[in-house]
Amino acid sequence: YNYELKELNLPDSLEYLGDQVFYQCRSVKKVRIPDKVTYLPHYCFYNAVSLEEIILPEGLTGIGYQAFESTQIDSIILPPGLNNFQTGVFNYCGSLKYVKCQQPTPPVLPNDIFYAVNKTTCVIEVPFWSVNMYKQANIWSGFATINTFNTELKNIPISGPLSLVNNARPTGFPNIQILSTGSLTVGGNTPFPT
């Protein structure tokens, strides 16, 4: 417990965070997680009630139990390879108004990781080619507003079934990786850019 810590400047060399590492750090407002960290552990920022801004690394693949529960974050960008969510990640984050999901397919969630988040006012933004999948996916479909973005992604790890139909294609020249649980179906007559 550290009630006086306001901002965390974690070193770029940091690769690992332990469970409950910033548990109830009630004054911290802003954190940037270094690029080498791939997993945020259980209760990492649990009840860090002043936390408003968190910047997640591109290579993050998982977030542990109740990692951000009861924080004041108002927006978050979930990187494309993040597909392992434990129970209650964003529970009671009442200030959360915007979630940008860069995952090409909706991550399968163990339960409603957004419990007590107002899903009528919180906006979800997803890749334009997968918006229909998010609108039909368990938990994600509970958000009233699911918008699309057309930003180029450098890496697209596919962890679930992805269908690109009606000539929908990612922009730019992304590195596409089909993981063991993923599949890719392409429909239409427009080729991928080369």
Side-chain angles (χ1 to χ4, degrees), residues 122-143:
C122 183
V123 174
I124 301 292
E125 192 173 64
V126 302
F128 71 92
W129 67 83
S130 60
V131 67
N132 289 332
M133 288 186 292
Y134 275 88
K135 288 181 177 181
Q136 296 172 11
N138 189 32
I139 311 300
W140 301 102
S141 62
F143 287 87

Side-chain angles (χ1 to χ4, degrees), residues 20-31:
Q20 301 179 12
V21 67
F22 302 112
Y23 182 92
Q24 291 194 8
C25 285
R26 295 180 181 211
S27 297
V28 68
K29 292 184 177 291
K30 179 180 179 179
V31 180

Side-chain angles (χ1 to χ4, degrees), residues 128-129 163-170 186-187 190 192:
F128 71 92
W129 67 83
S163 295
L164 299 176
V165 296
N166 300 324
N167 296 320
R169 304 292 183 263
V186 179
T190 301
F192 273 85

Side-chain angles (χ1 to χ4, degrees), residues 50-145:
S50 296
L51 183 62
E52 297 172 349
E53 183 179 354
I54 184 84
I55 300 170
L56 301 177
E58 180 82 13
L60 190 70
T61 60
I63 300 178
Y65 297 104
Q66 298 172 305
F68 296 107
E69 184 168 317
S70 299
T71 63
Q72 295 300 311
I73 56 174
D74 62 355
S75 66
I76 193 158
I77 298 173
L78 304 176
L82 178 57
N83 58 21
N84 179 7
F85 293 87
Q86 299 298 316
T87 302
V89 172
F90 298 106
N91 285 356
Y92 300 102
C93 290
S95 297
L96 192 59
K97 301 289 182 239
Y98 173 80
V99 179
K100 183 173 186 176
C101 299
Q102 295 180 320
Q103 299 89 333
T105 57
V108 176
L109 302 176
N111 65 354
D112 187 355
I113 65 168
F114 299 100
Y115 181 77
V117 170
N118 188 339
K119 294 179 186 72
T120 60
T121 58
C122 183
V123 174
I124 301 292
E125 192 173 64
V126 302
F128 71 92
W129 67 83
S130 60
V131 67
N132 289 332
M133 288 186 292
Y134 275 88
K135 288 181 177 181
Q136 296 172 11
N138 189 32
I139 311 300
W140 301 102
S141 62
F143 287 87
T145 305

Side-chain angles (χ1 to χ4, degrees), residues 143-161:
F143 287 87
T145 305
I146 302 178
N147 293 332
T148 63
F149 67 87
N150 196 12
T151 307
E152 182 176 332
L153 297 174
K154 293 185 294 186
N155 296 302
I156 301 176
I158 300 172
S159 60

